[in-house]
Amino acid sequence: MKRNKSVLLSVPYILWMVAFTLIPLGVVCYYALTDPNTGEFTWSNIAELGTFLPVFGESIGYSLVSALLCLVLGYPVAYFIAHRKPLTQKLLYMLVMLPMCMSFLLRTLAWVALLQDTGIINDFLEMLGLARLPLIRHPVAVVLGMVYNYLPYMILPLYAIIVKIDNRLIEAAEDLGCTPAQTFVKVVLPLSMPGIVSGITMVFVPAVSTFYISQKLGDTGTFLIGDVIERLFKQGDNANLGAALSLLLMILVFVCTGIMNKLTDSDGEEMVVV
């Protein structure tokens, strides 16, 4: 009886997954493996993916740099929040999430207004008597846009792990003669490793498929894989090839998720080395 109830309760979730995950995935696979003119099965779209390997490499490079910068910036923030009073934690947690309530496009356009040649930063520099700087249409601007938009995805999982670390382990390490640096390296860092892996994955996955940031903050030569897919679909050149690129991108996402699951324990804990 209980089993039947569990099955019935899972029906809405199963229907949701079929309608919004499996069917769209099947449509992508269909277009990726068919000819755009005849609709017949073909491997030609898959064979053309090799020409986009440099773009894939550049996209992965941007995403890895952004993920590492988010880790460097986000870990101290998450650690600071996790060691505040409960009420202060809730307030700071809300402030971290607040930018995510705003449209992704608006957040990116805000950086355009800040960095463009006639933007706020350059106007301020000119007011101080300094020369205007080429802050936009540069790879650094693209990375900056990615870090700003995806930094909360790094802070939130790190905070969720760090806040659960038992302070008695830290006190024990200090009683055994560990310095604050040794305590962090041998106790806090290993215990927070699941959050680090999860945060890097959560930043890398959306960053590798982004396209709007590179269009607005990068130069005309900055093409990420998201830009290529968007143009293939939007301009109507070859939606089937765009579907093949999307399929390859999905496989990359699945691989990243699998690596994350391998690097973290099932219970989200790591061994402490003291």
Side-chain angles (χ1 to χ4, degrees):
M1 189 66 179
K2 290 183 178 180
R3 184 176 181 181
N4 291 334
K5 286 184 177 180
S6 300
V7 173
L8 289 175
L9 289 173
S10 64
V11 168
Y13 173 75
I14 293 173
L15 293 176
W16 178 276
M17 291 295 294
V18 170
F20 297 102
T21 301
L22 295 182
I23 292 178
L25 182 59
V27 172
V28 171
C29 292
Y30 170 78
Y31 278 100
L33 299 175
T34 54
D35 185 88
N37 298 317
T38 63
E40 298 179 353
F41 174 81
T42 180
W43 290 103
S44 60
N45 297 320
I46 305 298
E48 290 186 47
L49 295 181
T51 59
F52 297 97
L53 288 180
V55 181
F56 260 105
E58 188 173 358
S59 301
I60 292 173
Y62 274 98
S63 303
L64 287 176
V65 171
S66 301
L68 292 176
L69 286 176
C70 284
L71 176 61
V72 172
L73 297 174
Y75 197 102
V77 175
Y79 189 87
F80 177 81
I81 296 174
H83 289 83
R84 300 304 99 190
K85 295 180 180 179
L87 184 60
T88 306
Q89 286 185 26
K90 293 179 181 179
L91 175 62
L92 295 175
Y93 189 90
M94 182 191 69
L95 292 177
V96 170
M97 293 186 64
L98 195 59
M100 299 172 66
C101 300
M102 188 186 304
S103 169
F104 176 85
L105 302 181
L106 290 178
R107 297 200 305 268
T108 304
L109 289 174
W111 276 106
V112 175
L114 286 170
L115 299 178
Q116 63 184 350
D117 297 337
T118 57
I120 297 173
I121 294 178
N122 273 318
D123 287 345
F124 180 72
L125 291 176
E126 188 178 39
M127 186 176 64
L128 295 177
L130 302 175
R132 291 178 177 267
L133 299 175
L135 302 176
I136 203 169
R137 296 183 298 277
H138 194 275
V140 176
V142 177
V143 173
L144 178 61
M146 289 183 177
V147 170
Y148 172 76
N149 280 288
Y150 302 127
L151 184 58
Y153 298 125
M154 177 66 71
I155 295 175
L156 299 183
L158 281 172
Y159 162 77
I161 293 295
I162 295 174
V163 76
K164 296 178 182 178
I165 296 177
D166 194 339
N167 286 329
R168 292 175 296 181
L169 296 174
I170 299 175
E171 294 172 358
E174 293 173 347
D175 291 341
L176 291 172
C178 289
T179 64
Q182 290 174 329
T183 301
F184 175 79
V185 172
K186 295 185 177 182
V187 178
V188 178
L189 191 60
L191 287 174
S192 59
M193 192 58 66
I196 293 175
V197 175
S198 178
I200 289 176
T201 305
M202 290 180 68
V203 172
F204 176 82
V205 168
V208 77
S209 59
T210 190
F211 62 92
Y212 192 75
I213 295 175
S214 54
Q215 291 179 10
K216 292 299 180 180
L217 299 178
D219 57 24
T220 55
T222 305
F223 288 106
L224 303 185
I225 194 63
D227 298 313
V228 177
I229 294 173
E230 190 245 359
R231 292 186 181 186
L232 287 173
F233 277 99
K234 191 174 181 179
Q235 297 179 1
D237 294 336
N238 195 337
N240 295 67
L241 181 57
L245 286 171
S246 301
L247 182 61
L248 181 59
L249 196 58
M250 283 190 288
I251 293 173
L252 178 62
V253 170
F254 291 150
V255 169
C256 292
T257 304
I259 293 174
M260 180 191 71
N261 292 332
K262 284 289 184 180
L263 293 178
T264 55
D265 293 334
S266 58
D267 59 353
E269 295 180 357
E270 295 286 334
M271 182 179 295
V272 182
V273 182
V274 180

